[in-house]
Amino acid sequence: MDHIEGFPNPFYITQPLMPEWDELSRIMKSVFESNQLSNNGKMVMELENQLADFLGTDCLSVFCNGTIALQVACRALRLSGEVITTPFTFAATVHALTWSNLKPVFCDIQEDSLNLDPDLIESLITEKTTGILPVHVFGTPCNVEKIQQIADKYGLKVLYDAAHAFGVKIKDKPIASYGDISMFSFHATKIYHTIEGGALACNNPYLKERLDSLRNFGINNDSTVKEPGTNGKLNEIQASVGLLLLKKVQAEIEQRKYLTDLYRQLLHDLSGLQVYQDIEGIRHNYPYFAVKIDQHQFGLTRDELHEKLLQYNVISRKYFYPLCSNFQCYKDLPSASETKLPIANKTANSILALPLHGRMCESDVKKICTIIRKVKPK
Ligand SMILES: *Cc1c(COP(=O)(O)O)cnc(C)c1O
């Protein structure tokens, strides 16, 4: 078994969940016949109701994307000055703060959860701090209890970036029930999507009213304009795609769980390659299959493994590399220096996400694992 064939075509890290064509054409027809394509139409209202139900939250507003949703949340929570966040995230988390005239203050992460380390938050709080923006990285819940305790002690708002955490629960409690607001992203690369889209979940109807107003230029129903809002609306076409995909997302998560378990089983004995296991009491959603490479034990660096896999047409991703604190635009912030963020810097150089999506089958996972074994130096 020396010669192993790669994949004939690039095998991408993900493939979007797709609606059935027949169902899609039927629902599109009804949208076109309704003559309403945007501005809180029937499909958007229905999607908000069904998503609130699915995510177990009282209030939910859908948006054109997750990044605009984050910016609206910052304004709705009246954040100002400094906000403590993690560098180990997608660019949008930190950029949303900057676009809201807020100063990101980077906090190092925990080695196991990959999330913001709550034990380090207090030392970063100044008189300018107004909020915390943690990320449930790869869908693993943050230490929500501890973060809330700190927020309560210092009077800070908590805005969760839950872009990866669709459907996650902590002991049967939905992830959206923590913090002041949780943002979900419905981009096509996420497990659940509306092509582009996002949502803000909260448990305060007055806050939802404000989010809805900010999403629509700050225009009130009675045609008075209270404040400078933006255009964050989702349209009827995308909302109807969202309604169709909501029926399929549970099966998607189950197939991903099955494939994740298979990956773990086939890779757990490889030295220098760490797989992450489920945490007891957490309902996971399997958005990514991430492994951590110890270059000394594995015999290759993470980047070398990434390159080798490319030769077999396996497209893996270096999540999250480069680290946000090392971006040109943030590297000069006092909190961005590498010495203050040792775990995040190490992690950003050692994590690789392997292909995972619901259309993959057992043989795909087996083949990828065989290729990894083949390229690992003996
Ligand atoms: C995808 C993502 C976002 C941004 O979402 P968009 O809907 O693409 O704007 C924000 N944060 C994280 C962690 C993400 O993965």
Side-chain angles (χ1 to χ4, degrees):
M1 236 236 337
D2 228 333
H3 183 70
I4 294 151
E5 293 281 335
F7 288 91
N9 300 304
F11 200 99
Y12 292 107
I13 180 143
T14 194
Q15 262 184 27
L17 188 56
M18 287 291 187
E20 300 304 317
W21 185 253
D22 288 355
E23 281 195 305
L24 184 66
S25 63
R26 230 176 298 135
I27 204 162
M28 287 298 121
K29 189 157 184 278
S30 79
V31 170
F32 276 79
E33 284 169 358
S34 78
N35 279 311
Q36 179 166 15
L37 297 179
S38 192
N39 289 358
N40 276 330
K42 218 173 80 187
M43 295 297 174
V44 160
M45 306 288 247
E46 180 59 24
L47 182 63
E48 287 192 343
N49 285 332
Q50 290 194 22
L51 279 171
D53 220 40
F54 191 96
L55 295 172
T57 177
D58 294 342
C59 305
L60 183 136
S61 305
V62 293
F63 281 82
C64 56
N65 63 57
T67 306
I68 294 283
L70 268 183
Q71 289 170 221
V72 166
C74 288
R75 190 173 274 266
L77 293 174
R78 300 182 205 282
L79 296 180
S80 65
E82 299 175 359
V83 174
I84 295 168
T85 192
T86 169
F88 191 68
T89 183
F90 182 59
T93 313
V94 186
H95 286 349
L97 294 175
T98 307
W99 273 67
S100 306
N101 274 322
L102 298 162
K103 184 174 167 189
V105 174
F106 293 113
C107 179
D108 207 2
I109 61 170
Q110 293 175 310
E111 190 137 22
D112 50 355
S113 71
L114 309 177
N115 290 327
L116 196 147
D117 186 343
D119 290 335
L120 302 174
I121 295 176
E122 283 195 79
S123 67
L124 298 168
I125 295 174
T126 71
E127 68 282 359
K128 289 188 185 140
T129 311
T130 57
I132 309 171
L133 171 48
V135 182
H136 303 296
V137 173
F138 302 150
T140 305
C142 293
N143 189 336
V144 289
E145 306 288 350
K146 190 125 190 211
I147 290 171
Q148 195 58 53
Q149 274 169 21
I150 296 167
D152 290 343
K153 183 170 165 192
Y154 293 90
L156 307 177
K157 300 288 186 196
V158 181
L159 166 56
Y160 278 109
D161 180 333
H164 298 175
F166 190 88
V168 170
K169 289 182 176 172
I170 306 176
K171 293 190 172 57
D172 290 329
K173 221 178 145 190
I175 198 78
S177 51
Y178 299 94
D180 294 282
I181 297 181
S182 293
M183 179 281 285
F184 294 90
S185 167
F186 304 152
H187 185 260
T189 53
K190 310 295 204 260
I191 50 172
Y192 169 78
H193 73 91
T194 57
I195 306 174
E196 292 267 0
L200 295 176
C202 65
N203 293 293
N204 173 347
Y206 298 106
L207 186 54
K208 169 167 165 68
E209 220 170 275
R210 184 115 192 279
L211 297 173
D212 288 348
S213 162
L214 285 168
R215 174 178 72 177
N216 187 37
F217 312 100
I219 298 174
N220 276 16
N221 293 336
D222 57 3
S223 302
T224 55
V225 180
K226 274 211 302 214
E227 59 181 325
T230 186
N231 182 356
K233 298 189 301 296
L234 188 71
N235 63 56
E236 290 291 284
I237 302 284
Q238 285 174 257
S240 52
V241 170
L243 283 168
L244 297 180
L245 295 183
L246 197 51
K247 296 191 281 182
K248 304 185 88 174
V249 70
Q250 202 50 54
E252 171 75 18
I253 291 173
E254 273 154 34
Q255 174 68 0
R256 283 166 178 252
K257 175 175 171 47
Y258 173 74
L259 298 169
T260 297
D261 283 338
L262 186 61
Y263 261 130
R264 287 167 174 160
Q265 193 188 316
L266 295 174
L267 294 175
H268 81 275
D269 64 322
L270 272 188
S271 64
L273 183 150
Q274 185 197 324
V275 298
Y276 292 86
Q277 300 295 342
D278 284 355
I279 301 163
E280 212 185 300
I282 302 298
R283 191 159 88 211
H284 290 274
N285 67 342
Y286 312 97
Y288 302 97
F289 183 74
V291 299
K292 186 157 90 176
I293 303 301
D294 176 328
Q295 63 179 90
H296 304 295
Q297 283 184 47
F298 191 76
L300 295 174
T301 64
R302 184 274 312 272
D303 289 1
E304 286 166 346
L305 177 58
H306 171 80
E307 286 301 314
K308 295 254 185 205
L309 292 179
L310 280 180
Q311 294 167 7
Y312 291 84
N313 257 335
V314 177
I315 320 292
S316 61
R317 286 292 295 270
K318 304 172 191 177
Y319 281 140
F320 291 100
Y321 178 87
L323 207 55
C324 291
S325 49
N326 294 333
F327 290 0
Q328 195 76 43
C329 49
Y330 298 126
K331 67 177 177 40
D332 295 327
L333 286 173
S335 64
S337 88
E338 201 175 321
T339 51
K340 289 180 181 162
L341 305 165
I343 314 278
N345 276 279
K346 197 174 106 192
T347 304
N349 289 320
S350 53
I351 298 260
L352 198 62
L354 301 175
L356 180 67
H357 59 78
R359 263 68 56 220
M360 278 173 74
C361 50
E362 215 178 279
S363 60
D364 297 324
V365 172
K366 285 183 175 161
K367 187 162 173 168
I368 291 167
C369 294
T370 308
I371 293 169
I372 292 172
R373 283 183 182 275
K374 161 91 178 156
V375 302
K376 180 182 179 347
K378 295 291 175 291

